[in-house]
Amino acid sequence: MPNFADYQLGTYFAGLAGELPTMPFSFAAWERLAEEKLEHRLWDYVAGGAGDEQTQRGNVDAFTRYGLVPHMLSGAAERDLSVELFGMRLPSPVFMAPIGVLGVMTEDEHGDLAAARAAAETGVPLVGSTLMQDPLEDVAAALGDTPGFFQLYTPNDREVAESLVRRAEAAGYRALVVTLDTWTLGYRPRDLQHGTFPQLRGACLANYVSDPVFASRLPNGDTSDVATVVQHWALMFGNPTLTWDDLAWLRGLTDLPLVLKGICAPDDVRRAVDAGVDGIYCSNHGGRQAGSAPALHFLPGVVDAAGDLPVLFDSGVRSGVDVVKALALGARAVGIGRPYGYAAAVGGTAGVVHALRSLLAEADLTMGLNGYHDVAEVRSRPLVRL
């Protein structure tokens, strides 16, 4: 099994040989460097959130209200961070959450490919966004042997939705993650101040312009006219009419595991379970869509209501310690967003690989030094409320 903590040891030994790190080891440092690197409108889009951004800050602060209980002399020198998810044995519980502007965050504007290559190198799965800068097939090919999941923003044109799902299935994605909380844009003052956001400028629409059904909706099927593409995309992007009654249609689109993203209420979890979904994704979109309570506060109730169904989680995860805390509250797998997004902006694929390995090393060491052998043991021991 992988010993993720070895990445720390390797860094120290490299330092003895005169090879000093060129990339940071903390979220704060990645954030600072990314702000220097990104164009100001893009930075505000990525770093910003809904309203006064209190929910976004609350997501992060919520982790400080829980503490791990150390257990000594437990013999946890060897750890197993692997988890079972949708019939797959993954080497760790960490995955890369979807980022809808990842494609333009790297210097070469192929950020989705950078993340996919990092997934191939580290074994950390990528949830690829509908909003990619490269077609989903190209991103899937770059994943190598590491599983990828496809995140769907369900358009109001059902035939376009079906086409995207069929393409994802054919490309080899291993699950379909349907985002429920973005049928319209949240109130984002930073973007409003600029009067725009990246997709309105034609960014990260590769999955649409490469889609034959979407192209058929354009005059003469011409996808080269950016203004026309953006107009048609904007008119079909969200689906405010999507309801529980539509789950049967979504379930019928594919044999892939179906995961609903944005579920936070236990009643919604139970309805989703009754509808035959395969996983619940507890998230408040990193505080980007609507003001709410911190997502971590919802996690225990979601896990209880889900029963045997796996629960994925993101929102506010900034470190390996946060990953372990989310696991202790019942998450089967834990997603990171801004940490790897900022790393991509600063260092491309190498930046993402470094950020992932650093975070996994911290999670591994946190488990070992607190006396936890594996993820099951983490989940079996209560956290302390601070």
Side-chain angles (χ1 to χ4, degrees):
M1 68 188 72
N3 189 346
F4 297 111
D6 283 348
Y7 192 62
Q8 171 177 274
L9 190 61
T11 301
Y12 285 133
F13 278 122
L16 289 174
E19 299 175 23
L20 299 182
T22 59
M23 288 181 280
F25 290 82
S26 71
F27 175 79
W30 282 118
E31 185 176 42
R32 183 173 61 254
L33 292 173
E35 183 175 9
E36 295 172 358
K37 190 89 169 178
L38 294 173
E39 188 266 340
H40 67 288
R41 285 175 302 205
L42 181 55
W43 167 255
D44 275 343
Y45 183 86
V46 174
D52 63 3
E53 300 183 355
Q54 181 60 46
T55 299
Q56 181 173 308
R57 293 189 295 272
N59 283 339
V60 177
D61 292 343
F63 283 93
T64 68
R65 300 170 195 166
Y66 292 94
L68 297 162
V69 179
H71 295 267
M72 297 298 103
L73 298 175
S74 64
E78 295 290 334
R79 278 86 57 197
D80 180 3
L81 271 68
S82 66
V83 294
E84 191 81 21
L85 187 65
F86 308 134
M88 299 173 285
R89 194 71 185 175
L90 304 177
S92 86
V94 175
F95 66 92
M96 287 180 274
I99 299 177
V101 289
L102 180 63
V104 292
M105 289 178 67
T106 54
E107 193 168 349
D108 65 358
E109 297 197 346
H110 292 287
D112 303 295
L113 291 176
R117 292 175 184 132
E121 193 167 340
T122 63
V124 175
L126 170 69
V127 182
S129 173
T130 299
L131 299 172
M132 292 178 178
Q133 187 74 347
D134 290 279
L136 61 90
E137 291 85 357
D138 294 353
V139 174
L143 289 166
D145 295 329
T146 300
F149 308 149
F150 182 70
Q151 176 269 333
L152 177 69
Y153 287 122
T154 310
N156 57 31
D157 185 322
R158 285 198 170 195
E159 292 183 358
V160 173
E162 291 173 9
S163 182
L164 290 169
V165 172
R166 302 270 185 262
R167 289 172 59 195
E169 193 172 40
Y173 289 91
R174 304 291 292 274
L176 178 66
V177 178
V178 180
T179 295
L180 304 178
D181 61 5
T182 314
W183 48 267
T184 190
L185 286 177
Y187 185 78
R188 302 176 188 171
R190 295 205 208 191
D191 296 335
L192 289 168
Q193 193 64 47
H194 296 301
T196 189
F197 57 89
Q199 285 78 22
L200 287 182
R201 295 174 176 266
C204 303
L205 300 181
N207 284 330
Y208 294 89
V209 297
S210 63
D211 192 87
V213 180
F214 178 83
S216 72
R217 294 345 190 210
L218 305 177
N220 301 315
D222 181 14
T223 59
S224 64
D225 184 343
V226 175
T228 300
V229 167
V230 168
Q231 180 183 19
H232 279 74
W233 167 79
L235 290 173
M236 73 167 59
F237 170 70
N239 191 347
T241 65
L242 200 68
T243 70
W244 290 105
D245 293 336
D246 295 305
L247 272 188
W249 164 68
L250 284 168
R251 175 68 281 176
L253 288 181
T254 180
D255 291 330
L256 292 174
L258 177 64
V259 183
L260 298 186
K261 181 176 184 287
I263 297 282
C264 294
D267 286 349
D268 287 349
V269 175
R270 287 185 278 270
R271 293 193 71 171
V273 171
D274 290 343
V277 305
D278 301 286
I280 302 296
Y281 192 148
C282 179
S283 166
N284 64 13
H285 216 102
R288 293 177 55 75
Q289 275 299 95
S292 71
L296 194 68
H297 292 340
F298 300 128
L299 181 56
V302 167
V303 170
D304 286 346
D308 294 332
L309 221 59
V311 173
L312 287 67
F313 174 82
D314 75 20
S315 297
V317 180
R318 298 290 182 265
S319 68
V321 177
D322 292 345
V323 169
V324 177
K325 290 178 181 180
L327 293 172
L329 291 174
R332 181 79 60 87
V334 182
I336 60 169
R338 289 182 179 91
Y340 89 88
Y342 291 161
V346 174
T349 295
V352 178
V353 169
H354 174 70
L356 292 174
R357 286 182 171 161
S358 300
L359 184 142
L360 286 169
E362 184 181 20
D364 190 7
L365 287 164
T366 298
M367 285 177 54
L369 291 170
N370 282 291
Y372 302 137
H373 295 83
D374 54 32
V375 173
E377 194 166 10
V378 171
R379 297 183 67 179
S380 70
R381 293 177 177 170
L383 296 174
V384 173
R385 289 299 300 264
L386 304 177

